[in-house]
Amino acid sequence: MSSLVPPFTLETATRKVRLAEDGWNSRDPERVSLVYTPDSRWRNRAEFVNGRAEIVAFLTRKWAKELDYRLIKEIWAFTNDRIAVRFAYEWHDDSGNWFRSYGNENWEFDAAGLMQRRFACINDLPIRESERKYHWPLGRRPDDHPGLTELGL
């Protein structure tokens, strides 16, 4: 993984995005927090998160509310140490109401390839269960499952 450090190429940036997707689909806050710097700063919707301990607390709350969470990320653009991503994830609340959440993230990495800043804008769209597009078993999205573009998202 040492090759997944700035400056990024299309290949390394694309791989970084897929690894981030895989991590978030694990729904393991501790595991996910390790790809961020110890003092990482986030803006997620209207919430500001600082450091790994707050990242773990944030993700623990998130995945307690967003049940059966499944995520797809896609690279949008990149530069030397930054990657822009678009994503969509599906989840339901404890009352069985389904949502597809759409968003964009801007990431900035340190020299070791850890994310030091993450800015996310997200919108939730209520959907019927029959409108779901993500049906793989919980965990990593299978390699043969369509991405956002192929799904028309």
Side-chain angles (χ1 to χ4, degrees), residues 4 28-29 43 52 54-55 60 81 89 124 129 142 149:
L4 298 180
D28 180 342
R43 182 188 46 74
R52 285 185 181 156
E54 289 185 20
I55 290 170
T60 299
D81 65 349
Y89 60 92
D124 301 319
E129 186 171 3
T149 298

Side-chain angles (χ1 to χ4, degrees), residues 18 21 71-74 86-88 133-134 136 141-153:
R18 180 58 194 245
E21 174 188 312
L71 165 73
I72 299 176
K73 291 183 181 280
E74 185 174 280
R86 68 187 200 96
F87 63 88
K133 295 181 181 278
Y134 303 174
W136 69 85
R141 175 174 55 104
D143 290 334
D144 63 350
H145 190 284
L148 295 177
T149 298
E150 294 82 13
L151 290 169
L153 299 175

Side-chain angles (χ1 to χ4, degrees), residues 72-135:
I72 299 176
K73 291 183 181 280
E74 185 174 280
I75 190 168
W76 187 254
F78 72 96
T79 63
N80 289 335
D81 65 349
R82 295 179 177 177
I83 300 174
V85 174
R86 68 187 200 96
F87 63 88
Y89 60 92
E90 293 181 348
W91 59 281
H92 68 86
D93 62 19
D94 59 4
S95 297
N97 299 303
W98 280 92
F99 299 87
R100 186 174 303 118
S101 298
Y102 296 94
N104 299 294
E105 293 176 307
N106 295 309
W107 301 341
E108 181 182 74
F109 295 87
D110 70 4
L114 295 175
M115 195 181 304
Q116 58 191 9
R117 295 196 300 174
R118 174 184 173 267
F119 304 103
C121 299
I122 306 166
N123 298 297
D124 301 319
L125 174 69
I127 61 173
R128 292 185 302 274
E129 186 171 3
S130 62
E131 295 175 298
R132 292 179 54 219
K133 295 181 181 278
Y134 303 174
H135 297 283

